[in-house]
Structures are given as structure tokens and as C-alpha cells.
Amino acid sequence: MYFPVSDTMLFHGNDRKLSRNFTEKRLRGLPIPPDCGTLSTGTLNGSEWNTVERISKENYYLDIAETVLERATCLRRVYGAIIVKNDEIISTGYNGAPRGRANCSTLGYCPREALRVPRGERYELCRSVHAEANAIISASRRDMVGGTLYLVGRDARTGQLLSDATSCMMCRRMVINAGLEKVVIRTTETEFVTVPVSEWVAEDDIPQ
């Protein structure tokens, strides 16, 4: 039993059903940062309550995007993306081969890696549709205009969070044309950067 008060949840007596993010990090033996929820005890109307500070709205959506990336099939880097507008999730996407085609995880090799293509180059050789692209094509533009795309990436081999995750030039063009207002990218377990899409428009990629 709990009653939400602003950004704090109150739990009566020994009912300590913490937030999913808080609980999972605790069960997995990970450090529980301040933004993940902190437990303290207080009183309300003479009764003892346990309180848990709720995670930020940005990390709430980034956690969902991170769950989405668990479906990704790339052997290099896995990404999860979700599009949100008016606090409603419009669509989700992860990087993987087009429907009906074999994924790299099934083939057991990455064509670009086999050709020793450097990161960020020759994406036309990649078998995957990127996470941002899959999220965008799964929604109508009228629903996305003014919305936010949340993006999380991890190294497919080590599972390490990518602190330098960002959208490629092709995905940036799609984000711009989708009418999205900003992109929120996770950089650490609790930190993120917010990129106004207007910056990508201004950073026109025409060679100088």
C-alpha cells in the first residue's frame, strides 16, 4: 500500500516494495545511486512510513529504452530507443535486421567487422536497421512531432554502457524529419545528455 506524494513514495510498515529500478540494482549487487531511489523512514499522522525517492522522468524512460535494447541483435553495439510525447510512449525500436532477414547474431558474424570497416563508416554494409529508425517507422509523424527520443547503447560483447552513444548521420536525418524536438541519451547509469534536434539541423553535414 502506498500513496504518491510529489516525487516521493510512502510505504506503510514493512511494505518495502521498491521501484523496479531500485530493486533490480539491489538484487544484481549494483551500487544504488541517488537517482535510483533512496530508502528512509519517517512518520505521517503518527504512523511510521518508509519513503523512496522516485527516479527522474528521464531515467524512467531511459530504463525502458535499456530494456528494449535487450532485443537487439547486433554483435558490435546494441541500442534501444523509445519515442515519448505527452508522457506517453509512442513507439520503441532496437537495432536488428529487417523483418524476415537473418540477424547477425544468428549468422554469427558482422559483415562490416569481417571487412574491417571502422566504426561510423559504410553503414550501407550493415544488415541492421538502427534503433532510432525502427522506432520512427513504427509511429506516425503526427504523433511524433514535438516528442522526445530516448536512446541507450551498450557494448554487445562486454555489456558496458556506451558513454559516447549518439545517433548516426542517417538516423539524425530521420529524427529531424520526424519532427522530434529533442533526444535524450544515457551517458552513465544515472546521467544523460539532452540534445535539441535544432542543433542537428544547424550542424548541417554538408562538407565544407
Side-chain angles (χ1 to χ4, degrees):
M1 172 181 176
Y2 70 87
F3 298 89
V5 178
S6 184
D7 282 336
T8 301
M9 289 187 292
L10 303 178
F11 296 82
H12 187 245
N14 294 320
D15 187 1
R16 300 193 178 190
K17 296 180 180 178
L18 308 182
S19 68
R20 171 179 174 272
N21 189 280
F22 185 98
T23 305
E24 286 192 350
K25 289 183 182 296
R26 183 182 64 178
L27 293 177
R28 289 160 59 189
L30 297 174
I32 301 174
D35 196 47
C36 190
T38 54
L39 184 66
S40 60
T41 301
T43 58
L44 181 67
N45 297 329
S47 298
E48 182 178 301
W49 295 80
N50 298 312
T51 65
V52 176
E53 295 297 323
R54 299 162 65 191
I55 63 173
S56 66
K57 188 63 69 70
E58 290 86 357
N59 276 315
Y60 165 69
Y61 287 125
L62 287 168
D63 283 347
I64 295 173
E66 190 157 349
T67 297
V68 173
L69 72 72
E70 295 178 10
R71 287 283 301 165
T73 59
C74 179
L75 297 177
R76 281 184 162 186
R77 293 185 162 205
V78 289
Y79 285 89
I82 67 170
I83 295 174
V84 177
K85 185 177 178 182
N86 296 329
D87 267 342
E88 291 186 355
I89 296 175
I90 304 300
S91 63
T92 69
Y94 54 86
N95 53 328
R99 297 177 188 275
R101 291 189 178 181
N103 289 297
C104 291
S105 58
T106 302
L107 295 174
Y109 71 93
C110 167
R112 291 175 67 245
E113 194 169 68
L115 294 172
R116 298 184 180 180
V117 177
R119 180 188 167 216
E121 298 180 14
R122 303 296 305 276
Y123 277 122
E124 73 275 9
L125 299 176
C126 179
R127 294 187 61 82
S128 291
V129 178
H130 288 184
E132 304 96 309
N134 271 324
I136 289 170
I137 63 178
S138 295
S140 65
R141 188 177 188 278
R142 66 174 177 271
D143 291 333
M144 291 186 288
V145 172
T148 301
L149 186 142
Y150 293 84
L151 181 68
V152 182
R154 287 190 177 275
D155 184 287
R157 294 184 179 85
T158 66
Q160 183 176 358
L161 184 70
L162 301 177
S163 60
D164 60 347
T166 189
S167 299
C168 72
M169 289 301 177
M170 292 186 293
C171 285
R172 290 186 184 193
R173 294 170 195 155
M174 294 187 68
V175 167
I176 292 169
N177 270 12
L180 292 165
E181 183 176 305
K182 58 186 177 180
V183 176
V184 179
I185 307 172
R186 173 161 281 173
T187 55
T188 73
E189 296 293 343
T190 59
E191 298 173 312
F192 52 86
V193 295
T194 301
V195 183
V197 175
S198 58
E199 288 188 5
W200 288 352
V201 175
E203 296 169 0
D204 196 331
D205 57 359
I206 297 176
Q208 301 298 319

mmCIF file of all heavy atoms in Angstrom, residues 15-38:
data_model
loop_
_atom_site.group_PDB
_atom_site.id
_atom_site.type_symbol
_atom_site.label_atom_id
_atom_site.label_comp_id
_atom_site.label_asym_id
_atom_site.label_seq_id
_atom_site.Cartn_x
_atom_site.Cartn_y
_atom_site.Cartn_z
ATOM 1 N N ASP A 15 6.082 -2.807 4.385
ATOM 2 C CA ASP A 15 5.812 -2.971 2.962
ATOM 3 C C ASP A 15 6.841 -2.187 2.163
ATOM 4 O O ASP A 15 6.706 -1.001 1.948
ATOM 5 C CB ASP A 15 4.409 -2.457 2.633
ATOM 6 C CG ASP A 15 4.027 -2.757 1.194
ATOM 7 O OD1 ASP A 15 4.851 -3.372 0.492
ATOM 8 O OD2 ASP A 15 2.925 -2.372 0.782
ATOM 9 N N ARG A 16 7.909 -2.866 1.753
ATOM 10 C CA ARG A 16 9.006 -2.173 1.080
ATOM 11 C C ARG A 16 9.123 -2.620 -0.366
ATOM 12 O O ARG A 16 10.161 -3.069 -0.818
ATOM 13 C CB ARG A 16 10.312 -2.420 1.819
ATOM 14 C CG ARG A 16 10.273 -1.925 3.263
ATOM 15 C CD ARG A 16 11.646 -1.884 3.876
ATOM 16 N NE ARG A 16 11.593 -1.374 5.243
ATOM 17 C CZ ARG A 16 12.670 -1.050 5.953
ATOM 18 N NH1 ARG A 16 13.856 -1.179 5.413
ATOM 19 N NH2 ARG A 16 12.542 -0.592 7.185
ATOM 20 N N LYS A 17 8.036 -2.525 -1.077
ATOM 21 C CA LYS A 17 8.064 -2.854 -2.498
ATOM 22 C C LYS A 17 8.658 -1.666 -3.245
ATOM 23 O O LYS A 17 7.967 -0.743 -3.624
ATOM 24 C CB LYS A 17 6.663 -3.159 -3.013
ATOM 25 C CG LYS A 17 6.058 -4.394 -2.366
ATOM 26 C CD LYS A 17 4.658 -4.656 -2.902
ATOM 27 C CE LYS A 17 4.057 -5.891 -2.254
ATOM 28 N NZ LYS A 17 2.678 -6.128 -2.720
ATOM 29 N N LEU A 18 9.964 -1.697 -3.426
ATOM 30 C CA LEU A 18 10.658 -0.567 -4.012
ATOM 31 C C LEU A 18 10.451 -0.529 -5.514
ATOM 32 O O LEU A 18 9.941 -1.460 -6.121
ATOM 33 C CB LEU A 18 12.162 -0.671 -3.705
ATOM 34 C CG LEU A 18 12.511 -0.863 -2.228
ATOM 35 C CD1 LEU A 18 14.013 -0.899 -2.057
ATOM 36 C CD2 LEU A 18 11.906 0.227 -1.374
ATOM 37 N N SER A 19 10.869 0.582 -6.112
ATOM 38 C CA SER A 19 10.741 0.716 -7.565
ATOM 39 C C SER A 19 11.539 -0.372 -8.249
ATOM 40 O O SER A 19 12.520 -0.879 -7.720
ATOM 41 C CB SER A 19 11.254 2.091 -8.025
ATOM 42 O OG SER A 19 12.649 2.173 -7.849
ATOM 43 N N ARG A 20 11.118 -0.733 -9.483
ATOM 44 C CA ARG A 20 11.771 -1.814 -10.219
ATOM 45 C C ARG A 20 13.259 -1.537 -10.384
ATOM 46 O O ARG A 20 14.100 -2.403 -10.188
ATOM 47 C CB ARG A 20 11.112 -1.956 -11.594
ATOM 48 C CG ARG A 20 11.842 -2.893 -12.548
ATOM 49 C CD ARG A 20 11.091 -2.991 -13.871
ATOM 50 N NE ARG A 20 11.828 -3.761 -14.837
ATOM 51 C CZ ARG A 20 12.723 -3.237 -15.652
ATOM 52 N NH1 ARG A 20 13.008 -1.948 -15.584
ATOM 53 N NH2 ARG A 20 13.357 -4.000 -16.531
ATOM 54 N N ASN A 21 13.602 -0.296 -10.721
ATOM 55 C CA ASN A 21 14.995 0.038 -10.954
ATOM 56 C C ASN A 21 15.801 -0.135 -9.682
ATOM 57 O O ASN A 21 16.880 -0.723 -9.685
ATOM 58 C CB ASN A 21 15.089 1.480 -11.459
ATOM 59 C CG ASN A 21 16.470 1.836 -11.939
ATOM 60 O OD1 ASN A 21 17.341 2.126 -11.138
ATOM 61 N ND2 ASN A 21 16.653 1.810 -13.240
ATOM 62 N N PHE A 22 15.258 0.357 -8.571
ATOM 63 C CA PHE A 22 15.919 0.257 -7.275
ATOM 64 C C PHE A 22 16.127 -1.200 -6.898
ATOM 65 O O PHE A 22 17.210 -1.621 -6.520
ATOM 66 C CB PHE A 22 15.055 0.963 -6.232
ATOM 67 C CG PHE A 22 15.674 1.031 -4.853
ATOM 68 C CD1 PHE A 22 16.338 2.169 -4.439
ATOM 69 C CD2 PHE A 22 15.577 -0.038 -3.981
ATOM 70 C CE1 PHE A 22 16.891 2.242 -3.165
ATOM 71 C CE2 PHE A 22 16.126 0.019 -2.719
ATOM 72 C CZ PHE A 22 16.789 1.174 -2.308
ATOM 73 N N THR A 23 15.064 -1.980 -7.027
ATOM 74 C CA THR A 23 15.110 -3.381 -6.624
ATOM 75 C C THR A 23 16.079 -4.187 -7.486
ATOM 76 O O THR A 23 16.883 -4.973 -6.978
ATOM 77 C CB THR A 23 13.709 -4.009 -6.724
ATOM 78 O OG1 THR A 23 12.810 -3.223 -5.947
ATOM 79 C CG2 THR A 23 13.710 -5.427 -6.198
ATOM 80 N N GLU A 24 16.020 -3.997 -8.805
ATOM 81 C CA GLU A 24 16.883 -4.779 -9.692
ATOM 82 C C GLU A 24 18.348 -4.480 -9.426
ATOM 83 O O GLU A 24 19.176 -5.381 -9.413
ATOM 84 C CB GLU A 24 16.532 -4.494 -11.153
ATOM 85 C CG GLU A 24 15.244 -5.140 -11.585
ATOM 86 C CD GLU A 24 15.066 -5.091 -13.089
ATOM 87 O OE1 GLU A 24 15.838 -4.408 -13.766
ATOM 88 O OE2 GLU A 24 14.144 -5.773 -13.549
ATOM 89 N N LYS A 25 18.685 -3.227 -9.236
ATOM 90 C CA LYS A 25 20.071 -2.885 -8.980
ATOM 91 C C LYS A 25 20.531 -3.502 -7.662
ATOM 92 O O LYS A 25 21.661 -3.974 -7.545
ATOM 93 C CB LYS A 25 20.261 -1.369 -8.974
ATOM 94 C CG LYS A 25 20.138 -0.741 -10.357
ATOM 95 C CD LYS A 25 20.395 0.744 -10.312
ATOM 96 C CE LYS A 25 20.212 1.366 -11.678
ATOM 97 N NZ LYS A 25 21.187 0.872 -12.649
ATOM 98 N N ARG A 26 19.625 -3.511 -6.664
ATOM 99 C CA ARG A 26 19.973 -4.104 -5.379
ATOM 100 C C ARG A 26 20.186 -5.607 -5.531
ATOM 101 O O ARG A 26 21.164 -6.169 -5.042
ATOM 102 C CB ARG A 26 18.876 -3.816 -4.356
ATOM 103 C CG ARG A 26 19.209 -4.339 -2.962
ATOM 104 C CD ARG A 26 18.071 -4.057 -2.003
ATOM 105 N NE ARG A 26 16.872 -4.780 -2.420
ATOM 106 C CZ ARG A 26 15.743 -4.746 -1.747
ATOM 107 N NH1 ARG A 26 15.635 -4.011 -0.656
ATOM 108 N NH2 ARG A 26 14.702 -5.424 -2.162
ATOM 109 N N LEU A 27 19.286 -6.290 -6.246
ATOM 110 C CA LEU A 27 19.387 -7.740 -6.419
ATOM 111 C C LEU A 27 20.599 -8.124 -7.248
ATOM 112 O O LEU A 27 21.192 -9.177 -7.057
ATOM 113 C CB LEU A 27 18.113 -8.273 -7.074
ATOM 114 C CG LEU A 27 16.838 -8.191 -6.226
ATOM 115 C CD1 LEU A 27 15.648 -8.690 -7.030
ATOM 116 C CD2 LEU A 27 16.992 -9.009 -4.949
ATOM 117 N N ARG A 28 20.973 -7.265 -8.205
ATOM 118 C CA ARG A 28 22.121 -7.563 -9.063
ATOM 119 C C ARG A 28 23.436 -7.152 -8.418
ATOM 120 O O ARG A 28 24.492 -7.288 -8.997
ATOM 121 C CB ARG A 28 21.957 -6.839 -10.404
ATOM 122 C CG ARG A 28 20.853 -7.438 -11.278
ATOM 123 C CD ARG A 28 20.384 -6.461 -12.320
ATOM 124 N NE ARG A 28 21.466 -6.025 -13.197
ATOM 125 C CZ ARG A 28 21.331 -5.026 -14.076
ATOM 126 N NH1 ARG A 28 20.185 -4.372 -14.161
ATOM 127 N NH2 ARG A 28 22.331 -4.683 -14.851
ATOM 128 N N GLY A 29 23.359 -6.642 -7.205
ATOM 129 C CA GLY A 29 24.581 -6.279 -6.496
ATOM 130 C C GLY A 29 25.217 -5.007 -7.006
ATOM 131 O O GLY A 29 26.383 -4.736 -6.740
ATOM 132 N N LEU A 30 24.447 -4.187 -7.758
ATOM 133 C CA LEU A 30 24.991 -2.950 -8.300
ATOM 134 C C LEU A 30 24.848 -1.835 -7.276
ATOM 135 O O LEU A 30 23.966 -1.872 -6.421
ATOM 136 C CB LEU A 30 24.247 -2.567 -9.581
ATOM 137 C CG LEU A 30 24.359 -3.553 -10.737
ATOM 138 C CD1 LEU A 30 23.456 -3.100 -11.886
ATOM 139 C CD2 LEU A 30 25.799 -3.663 -11.201
ATOM 140 N N PRO A 31 25.744 -0.840 -7.357
ATOM 141 C CA PRO A 31 25.588 0.294 -6.444
ATOM 142 C C PRO A 31 24.285 1.027 -6.746
ATOM 143 O O PRO A 31 23.881 1.143 -7.895
ATOM 144 C CB PRO A 31 26.804 1.172 -6.779
ATOM 145 C CG PRO A 31 27.191 0.782 -8.165
ATOM 146 C CD PRO A 31 26.887 -0.686 -8.257
ATOM 147 N N ILE A 32 23.627 1.482 -5.720
ATOM 148 C CA ILE A 32 22.341 2.166 -5.892
ATOM 149 C C ILE A 32 22.592 3.666 -5.784
ATOM 150 O O ILE A 32 22.764 4.208 -4.697
ATOM 151 C CB ILE A 32 21.335 1.713 -4.822
ATOM 152 C CG1 ILE A 32 21.115 0.197 -4.924
ATOM 153 C CG2 ILE A 32 20.016 2.448 -4.979
ATOM 154 C CD1 ILE A 32 20.246 -0.369 -3.832
ATOM 155 N N PRO A 33 22.671 4.359 -6.934
ATOM 156 C CA PRO A 33 22.936 5.794 -6.926
ATOM 157 C C PRO A 33 21.729 6.575 -6.421
ATOM 158 O O PRO A 33 20.618 6.052 -6.372
ATOM 159 C CB PRO A 33 23.207 6.096 -8.406
ATOM 160 C CG PRO A 33 22.446 5.052 -9.134
ATOM 161 C CD PRO A 33 22.488 3.819 -8.269
ATOM 162 N N PRO A 34 21.943 7.830 -6.051
ATOM 163 C CA PRO A 34 20.841 8.634 -5.515
ATOM 164 C C PRO A 34 19.635 8.702 -6.433
ATOM 165 O O PRO A 34 18.500 8.688 -5.962
ATOM 166 C CB PRO A 34 21.496 10.022 -5.334
ATOM 167 C CG PRO A 34 22.939 9.731 -5.148
ATOM 168 C CD PRO A 34 23.216 8.540 -6.033
ATOM 169 N N ASP A 35 19.853 8.772 -7.745
ATOM 170 C CA ASP A 35 18.736 8.934 -8.656
ATOM 171 C C ASP A 35 17.933 7.649 -8.822
ATOM 172 O O ASP A 35 16.902 7.628 -9.459
ATOM 173 C CB ASP A 35 19.239 9.405 -10.021
ATOM 174 C CG ASP A 35 18.111 9.957 -10.863
ATOM 175 O OD1 ASP A 35 17.328 10.763 -10.326
ATOM 176 O OD2 ASP A 35 18.009 9.561 -12.028
ATOM 177 N N CYS A 36 18.432 6.553 -8.250
ATOM 178 C CA CYS A 36 17.762 5.266 -8.409
ATOM 179 C C CYS A 36 16.736 5.023 -7.314
ATOM 180 O O CYS A 36 15.988 4.073 -7.354
ATOM 181 C CB CYS A 36 18.811 4.165 -8.412
ATOM 182 S SG CYS A 36 18.186 2.563 -8.866
ATOM 183 N N GLY A 37 16.720 5.879 -6.309
ATOM 184 C CA GLY A 37 15.751 5.699 -5.230
ATOM 185 C C GLY A 37 16.451 5.469 -3.909
ATOM 186 O O GLY A 37 17.313 4.608 -3.800
ATOM 187 N N THR A 38 16.155 6.247 -2.905
ATOM 188 C CA THR A 38 16.783 6.082 -1.608
ATOM 189 C C THR A 38 15.713 5.823 -0.575
ATOM 190 O O THR A 38 14.637 6.429 -0.590
ATOM 191 C CB THR A 38 17.578 7.347 -1.220
ATOM 192 O OG1 THR A 38 16.709 8.478 -1.293
ATOM 193 C CG2 THR A 38 18.756 7.556 -2.164
#
